[in-house]
Amino acid sequence: MAVQMKGKSLASLDHLTREELEQIIKTSELLKFQLLRGQEHPLLKGKTLAMIFEKPSTRTRVSFEVGMWQLGGYALYLSATDLQLGRGETIGDTARTLSRYVNGIMARVFSHQTILDLIQHSNVPVINGLSDFSHPCQGLADLFTVYEKKGRLDGLKLAYLGDGNNVAHSLIDGCSKVGMNIVLACPKGYEPDSKVVAQGKKEARKNGSEVRVTDDPKEAVKEADIIYTDVWASMGKEKEHAERVKILKPYQVNPKLVKGAKEDYIFMHCLPAHRGEEVTDEVADSKKSVIFDQAENRLHTQKALMALVM
Ligand code: CP
Ligand code: NVA
């Protein structure tokens, strides 16, 4: 039976139940199949989505905008600096105002609190399009991509290498919900948030899987089904770039490191990549790499999410 998700906001993947996650994946599969067959699916005909951006984006912006169009709706791009927000109007007043015009809000912000404030003051669903704390839409596309490539999620091992950032948090949330094992190799001081790890461990125990953090990249990659990495300096951390490159260098995903993984491992990255830093061209462009499938799947999973909540 379908789970009712209408009106639901998405700040982080840990707010979804396993059933809701599975429903989004199944719906993504259906919408992707229909799109490839040229079958139209105007599930959000006449509906509108406001997209607030405090930071740049290629994938998130284009996939939401195209996705909304394919669903028969309309998406508005709103740069935070162009809104009255940039001149001091509060998040609360912005949310209340937008709720009078649109059927959903997607926001990419610096502070995660902005997402929580939007949710609190809005009468329409709010979707986190990346904050400093989490990137749930990326996590959805990642789980769907693994499911497509491996035919299942539970029991697999994902090794995440590098900075314990927003993407790492969403992978912990997502993997632990669906019974996937996740081992994160991060240097000291760059580990994921301890509360996210603790919550992930609790959830993983329920679903028969494991969440583990180590500082040893070789050990993390051992027998992995999936190797995942992300940039070392996320948006907003550019000033720390030089220092981070020095510290995170041993976590680079290169041909030598991937040798420890399973023969049929896949390589994943949310993109944009800083080639030559967290990943080398040999790995990013190898047959094992599914990075553009992941990027494509942002479209299908977000369409599924919007169709279900809006
Ligand atoms: N992965 C991702 O969110 O990409 P963009 O920053 O291009 O949106
Ligand atoms: N961790 C990266 C993800 C970009 C999609 C960042 O926040 O910049």
Side-chain angles (χ1 to χ4, degrees):
M1 237 213 3
V3 194
Q4 183 56 255
M5 291 180 68
K6 199 167 165 37
K8 188 153 182 156
S9 288
L10 182 63
S12 306
L13 287 185
D14 69 329
H15 297 156
L16 295 180
T17 64
R18 181 174 190 161
E19 290 68 32
E20 287 172 335
L21 261 175
E22 286 170 353
Q23 175 159 269
I24 294 168
I25 291 174
K26 289 285 171 208
T27 309
S28 309
E29 202 175 19
L30 176 69
L31 293 178
K32 184 171 184 174
F33 178 74
Q34 290 179 338
L35 184 72
L36 293 176
R37 285 179 24 148
Q39 223 172 307
E40 289 187 8
H41 36 226
L43 299 166
L44 295 181
K45 194 166 187 294
K47 302 247 165 135
T48 45
L49 177 77
M51 308 189 298
I52 303 173
F53 282 92
E54 289 182 354
K55 297 173 178 176
S57 164
T58 298
R59 281 143 288 266
T60 304
R61 177 181 176 179
V62 178
S63 55
F64 267 104
E65 197 163 329
V66 170
M68 204 51 196
W69 186 82
Q70 289 178 357
L71 290 169
Y74 180 73
L76 302 95
Y77 173 82
L78 305 167
S79 154
T81 48
D82 295 340
L83 292 170
Q84 293 287 8
L85 257 181
R87 291 183 55 249
E89 185 167 21
T90 65
I91 296 286
D93 287 350
T94 304
R96 283 186 278 255
T97 304
L98 288 177
S99 297
R100 299 290 179 108
Y101 302 125
V102 300
N103 307 98
I105 299 171
M106 187 280 289
R108 165 165 289 196
V109 300
F110 283 98
S111 164
H112 191 67
Q113 189 58 46
T114 305
I115 296 287
L116 301 179
D117 291 346
L118 281 170
I119 292 175
Q120 189 190 337
H121 297 289
S122 158
N123 297 320
V124 297
V126 175
I127 299 172
N128 178 1
L130 181 146
S131 68
D132 58 355
F133 185 68
S134 67
H135 197 359
C137 293
Q138 185 64 50
L140 289 176
D142 297 341
L143 291 180
F144 179 47
T145 307
V146 173
Y147 178 70
E148 278 190 322
K149 301 290 171 191
K150 298 284 177 193
R152 67 190 171 112
L153 293 171
D154 57 316
L156 296 171
K157 175 182 177 183
L158 185 149
Y160 177 92
L161 286 278
D163 184 24
N165 60 18
N166 43 8
V167 170
H169 290 166
S170 291
L171 287 170
I172 294 172
D173 290 343
C175 290
S176 61
K177 286 260 148 127
V178 297
M180 245 167 93
N181 302 297
I182 175 166
V183 181
L184 303 104
C186 313
K188 204 170 158 7
Y190 294 86
E191 297 98 341
D193 183 271
S194 57
K195 283 201 208 84
V196 175
V197 175
Q199 175 61 27
K201 279 182 190 283
K202 202 169 126 197
E203 197 63 41
R205 263 198 301 277
K206 272 204 290 197
N207 296 307
S209 66
E210 183 194 36
V211 173
R212 195 156 51 81
V213 183
T214 170
D215 61 0
D216 181 351
K218 260 173 105 178
E219 190 247 322
V221 160
K222 200 160 171 249
E223 289 296 304
D225 298 282
I226 302 123
I227 299 181
Y228 198 120
T229 191
D230 185 18
V231 290
W232 289 339
S234 285
M235 290 180 272
K237 301 270 183 207
E238 289 84 358
K239 280 199 188 114
E240 299 172 21
H241 181 255
E243 191 193 345
R244 284 170 169 262
V245 169
K246 266 192 268 163
I247 296 168
L248 284 143
K249 185 84 189 157
Y251 298 81
Q252 183 188 66
V253 181
N254 55 40
K256 193 171 162 213
L257 185 70
V258 301
K259 276 202 182 107
K262 280 199 184 140
E263 183 57 38
D264 64 347
Y265 89 93
I266 54 174
F267 171 70
M268 300 181 78
H269 191 309
C270 60
L271 302 178
H274 283 190
R275 288 164 175 261
E277 290 184 11
E278 74 275 5
V279 62
T280 63
D281 286 339
E282 294 100 308
V283 175
D285 298 328
S286 71
K287 285 207 183 86
K288 308 285 193 186
S289 173
V290 300
I291 55 180
F292 298 109
D293 297 311
Q294 261 177 284
E296 179 191 330
N297 283 337
R298 291 290 302 276
L299 174 71
H300 309 300
T301 45
Q302 287 158 195
K303 279 169 71 183
L305 175 67
M306 289 191 289
L308 288 164
V309 303
M310 287 167 66

